[in-house]
């Protein structure tokens, strides 16, 4: 499968992205500031997997928050975490479809990092609700007949466009949240509830997530226990996403940490040769 066809598979809204970016630019919202978190102790990036709401994970997230770590919530983690007395500092959204609106409750205590490629109605929903909205760029494959992705960003965001400022790596919003944290200068990054796969007889999402379980439909990949001795199931977009995080963790083990079971954490224990056999690095980053 070609790269362009794969991008269409993982992002069916790709044809609308240039128009979405143009609309985001017209709002004149603030752009996420480089090194804004450089003086903080670190961040915890929270996904929506079942491990997020396990007692041990919640205790560790609360402990880190008590030490001054900032909490990033992706997808419906912004709704789940307050149920356990954890108020996120930031929400991260990159889904360009309107369905993102339903998954994103309004909370005046939260700053919303929204990809410039998100749907115009997502921006309208947040702004009309009084939310604090900050824009970032996500590597999303946007293109027109005449312009590539970076040229589109340069056209509409001339003051905020360079390769370093575009959040990339993998295909999931957790990858984008990690890239944002790095751009903002986070010293330590803990990843919770983001396994990039699931174990046998387990779901991909926490019980209260209003979305079908990740293993409910579509083709899956099975590692036959080769990564850590116990089967992992994943998908074509999740595997390179896990590998992208695993490579970051291998390169900076003092910076990256995992809370709960994670395919990325298991892959980070493997050799570089093993990771290259799974997915070449140019495909994962």
């Amino acid at each position: 499968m070609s790269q362009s066809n794969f991008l269409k598979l993982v992002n069916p809204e790709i044809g609308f992205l240039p128009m979405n970016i143009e609309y985001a630019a017209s709002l004149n919202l603030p752009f996420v500031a480089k090194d804004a978190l450089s003086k903080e102790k670190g961040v915890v990036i929270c996904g929506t997997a079942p491990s997020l709401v396990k007692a041990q994970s919640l205790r560790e997230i609360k402990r880190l928050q008590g030490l001054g770590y900032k909490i990033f919530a992706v997808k419906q983690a912004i709704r789940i975490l307050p149920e356990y007395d954890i108020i996120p500092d930031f929400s991260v959204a990159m889904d360009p479809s309107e369905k993102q609106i339903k998954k994103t409750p309004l909370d005046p205590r939260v700053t919303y990092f929204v990809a410039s490629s998100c749907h115009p109605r997502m921006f309208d929903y947040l702004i009309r609700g009084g939310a604090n909205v900050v824009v970032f760029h996500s590597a999303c494959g946007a293109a027109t007949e005449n312009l590539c992705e970076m040229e589109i960003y340069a056209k509409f965001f001339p003051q905020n466009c360079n390769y370093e400022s575009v959040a990339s790596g993998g295909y999931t919003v957790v990858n984008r949240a990690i890239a944002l944290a790095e751009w903002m200068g986070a010293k330590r990054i803990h990843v919770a509830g983001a396994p990039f796969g699931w174990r046998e007889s387990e779901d991909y999402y926490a019980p209260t997530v209003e979305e079908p379980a990740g293993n409910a439909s579509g083709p899956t990949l099975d590692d036959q226990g080769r990564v850590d001795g116990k089967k992992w199931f994943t998908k074509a977009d999740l595997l390179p996403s896990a590998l992208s995080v695993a490579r970051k963790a291998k390169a900076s083990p003092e910076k990256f940490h995992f809370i709960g079971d994670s395919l990325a954490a298991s892959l980070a224990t493997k050799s570089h040769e093993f990771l290259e056999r799974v997915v070449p690095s140019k495909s994962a980053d």
Side-chain angles (χ1 to χ4, degrees):
M1 181 183 295
S2 68
Q3 177 71 2
S4 61
N5 286 337
F6 183 76
L7 288 172
K8 290 177 183 177
L9 175 66
V10 299
N11 187 0
E13 307 284 337
I14 194 168
F16 297 98
L17 298 182
M19 291 180 287
N20 292 0
I21 293 168
E22 182 177 7
Y23 183 80
S26 73
L27 299 173
N28 294 313
L29 294 166
F31 194 83
V32 63
K34 183 173 175 59
D35 295 330
L37 297 177
S38 61
K39 295 182 180 180
E40 306 293 342
K41 289 199 171 182
V43 304
V44 184
I45 295 170
C46 298
T48 55
S51 61
L52 177 72
V53 296
K54 289 186 176 180
Q56 185 175 358
S57 296
L58 293 169
R59 282 197 300 270
E60 180 63 4
I61 296 168
K62 288 181 179 179
R63 184 186 74 82
L64 291 169
Q65 187 174 43
L67 292 174
Y69 281 65
K70 299 297 184 181
I71 308 298
F72 282 63
V74 306
K75 295 185 175 180
Q76 293 183 53
I78 188 178
R79 176 179 55 79
I80 296 170
L81 290 171
E83 295 174 2
Y84 298 91
D85 299 320
I86 299 170
I87 307 303
D89 297 283
F90 309 112
S91 171
V92 183
M94 75 166 193
D95 190 333
S97 71
E98 290 185 73
K99 66 182 181 181
Q100 182 71 40
I101 296 171
K102 184 179 178 181
K103 303 175 189 176
T104 310
L106 292 166
D107 190 326
R109 300 166 292 185
V110 176
T111 294
Y112 292 78
F113 293 141
V114 183
S116 54
S117 51
C118 279
H119 199 284
R121 289 181 183 170
M122 175 66 170
F123 283 101
D124 293 345
Y125 160 73
L126 292 171
I127 293 169
R128 289 170 184 167
N132 180 26
V133 182
V134 177
V135 177
F136 74 96
H137 294 324
S138 169
C140 58
T144 66
E145 289 185 5
N146 302 313
L147 300 175
C148 70
E149 181 175 45
M150 288 304 299
E151 289 170 332
I152 292 171
Y153 285 137
K155 177 180 179 180
F156 296 115
F157 288 88
Q159 303 304 318
N160 297 293
C161 179
N162 57 63
Y163 284 104
E164 188 184 2
S165 69
V166 177
S168 62
Y171 300 96
T172 74
V173 67
V174 171
N175 295 102
R176 298 298 178 269
I178 290 172
L180 269 178
E182 291 181 301
W183 167 255
M184 296 174 74
K187 296 183 179 71
R188 294 180 182 83
I189 299 174
H190 294 250
V191 182
F196 300 96
W198 60 94
R199 301 291 194 178
E200 199 164 11
S201 302
E202 291 183 355
D203 288 333
Y204 184 65
Y205 291 108
T208 58
V209 170
E210 298 172 2
E211 189 171 333
N215 52 351
S217 62
T220 62
L221 305 174
D222 172 1
D223 80 332
Q224 297 294 322
R226 287 189 290 269
V227 174
D228 59 17
K230 187 179 177 182
K231 275 189 180 182
W232 274 107
F233 295 86
T234 189
K235 292 194 172 186
D237 58 333
L238 294 177
L239 179 57
S241 300
L243 281 159
S244 177
V245 179
R247 288 188 170 102
K248 288 177 182 289
K250 283 187 72 66
S252 303
E254 72 291 343
K255 181 175 182 177
F256 287 89
H257 308 272
F258 298 92
I259 301 172
D261 200 15
S262 169
L263 175 57
S266 294
L267 286 168
T269 66
K270 310 300 285 187
S271 68
H272 291 290
E273 292 74 20
F274 181 95
L275 300 187
E276 284 295 309
R277 289 198 300 272
V278 177
V279 176
S281 56
K282 66 179 181 180
S283 300
D285 298 324

